[in-house]
Amino acid sequence: MLTKEELPVCPVATTVDLIGNKWKLLIMRELLKGTKRFNELHKAIDGISQKVLTENLKKMEADGIIVRKAYPVVPPKVEYSLSELGDSLRPIIDAMSDWGTNYIKENLM
Amino acid sequence: MLTKEELPVCPVATTVDLIGNKWKLLIMRELLKGTKRFNELHKAIDGISQKVLTENLKKMEADGIIVRKAYPVVPPKVEYSLSELGDSLRPIIDAMSDWGTNYIKENLM
DNA sequence: CGGTATCCCTAAAGATACTG
DNA sequence: CAGTATCTTTAGGGATACCG
């Protein structure tokens, strides 16, 4: 969680601190499609380990970007979804997706 | 430089591979303002070391995102600017900047 | 199923000194 | 000024085992 003291008061740096790494961006991409269970995320994000996924989900939950909902059932069921704040990041991920799509088209086909 | 073999054929992941880390995003932010000399970047990007700046600039140049121009003068003068490809990332950085601006306004003031 | 808890390892980053 | 070179440190991440 960012506090007023340690937050760099710069718009880009602020955003970077919240989602500016590979795994968080890929988690965002999945959750923008809708609510997902832990294992769905694990399978959808290529190369991520259970540990790293858990760690990033915790950070993002602490930052208020995602919401974790655990159902008291056996076997356990946990769902992750975007908070309102998280969903407001949609334009950024969309922009990255659009750019990547175009890049692939231009450079790799 | 990305090759066809190692490139994840996913739009978001492609973009993430090229600029999805803290330092590259902050370098992009500076170069979107215009051409900058090495020392200007060093001073503008808080906390970055000379070594890390050099390394990231080299990677970004290899990826075709930025252009390095060295003038044969003493003392040396080197200017960095965005390539056309790099400039096409502007909407993404702008989106991050806009989001960060709003976040700061909503949550820290 | 959805995690913890360990241990380990390496790539990334920091510190410092030097140079064309 | 714009780097390189070298060394050291740290943190991110992989592997494995276990648990409610």
Side-chain angles (χ1 to χ4, degrees):
Chain A
M1 177 70 107
L2 294 171
T3 69
K4 198 161 191 170
E5 286 66 33
E6 62 197 5
L7 186 85
V9 184
C10 157
V12 176
T14 299
T15 310
V16 166
D17 279 345
L18 289 174
I19 55 158
N21 79 58
K22 177 181 174 180
W23 298 127
K24 285 182 183 177
L25 285 166
L26 295 176
I27 291 169
M28 288 294 301
R29 181 197 61 187
E30 290 309 310
L31 293 183
L32 280 170
K33 298 176 189 168
T35 299
K36 301 256 178 179
R37 295 182 62 169
F38 184 86
N39 261 3
E40 290 183 286
L41 290 172
H42 194 194
K43 277 180 248 166
I45 301 172
D46 198 52
I48 198 169
S49 69
Q50 203 170 27
K51 182 189 151 200
V52 172
L53 178 55
T54 303
E55 286 170 351
N56 278 282
L57 288 171
K58 279 191 175 170
K59 286 179 205 162
M60 293 169 79
E61 191 194 358
D63 285 334
I65 292 174
I66 66 175
V67 176
R68 178 182 186 275
K69 178 161 190 183
Y71 296 86
V73 295
V74 180
K77 178 181 177 182
V78 180
E79 286 181 344
Y80 291 91
S81 57
L82 292 177
S83 66
E84 196 179 335
L85 178 64
D87 194 71
S88 74
L89 288 159
R90 185 182 294 273
I92 295 172
I93 314 295
D94 281 350
M96 295 183 73
S97 183
D98 290 350
W99 189 91
T101 299
N102 208 56
Y103 179 87
I104 291 167
K105 202 185 301 176
E106 298 285 321
N107 296 66
L108 301 168
M109 312 184 76
Chain B
M1 178 71 109
L2 294 171
T3 70
K4 195 161 190 168
E5 285 65 34
E6 62 197 3
L7 186 86
V9 185
C10 157
V12 176
T14 298
T15 310
V16 166
D17 279 345
L18 289 174
I19 56 157
N21 79 58
K22 177 181 174 180
W23 297 127
K24 285 183 182 177
L25 285 166
L26 295 176
I27 291 169
M28 288 294 301
R29 182 198 59 187
E30 289 310 311
L31 293 184
L32 280 169
K33 297 176 190 169
T35 298
K36 300 258 179 180
R37 294 182 63 170
F38 185 85
N39 260 5
E40 291 183 287
L41 290 172
H42 194 195
K43 278 180 247 166
I45 301 172
D46 198 52
I48 199 168
S49 68
Q50 204 170 28
K51 182 188 147 201
V52 172
L53 177 55
T54 303
E55 286 169 353
N56 278 282
L57 288 171
K58 279 190 176 171
K59 285 180 205 160
M60 293 168 80
E61 191 194 358
D63 284 335
I65 293 174
I66 66 174
V67 176
R68 178 183 187 276
K69 178 162 190 184
Y71 296 86
V73 295
V74 181
K77 178 181 176 182
V78 180
E79 286 182 344
Y80 291 91
S81 57
L82 292 177
S83 66
E84 197 179 334
L85 179 63
D87 195 72
S88 73
L89 288 159
R90 185 182 293 272
I92 295 171
I93 313 294
D94 280 350
M96 295 182 73
S97 183
D98 290 349
W99 189 90
T101 300
N102 207 57
Y103 180 86
I104 290 167
K105 203 184 301 177
E106 298 285 321
N107 297 68
L108 299 168
M109 313 184 76

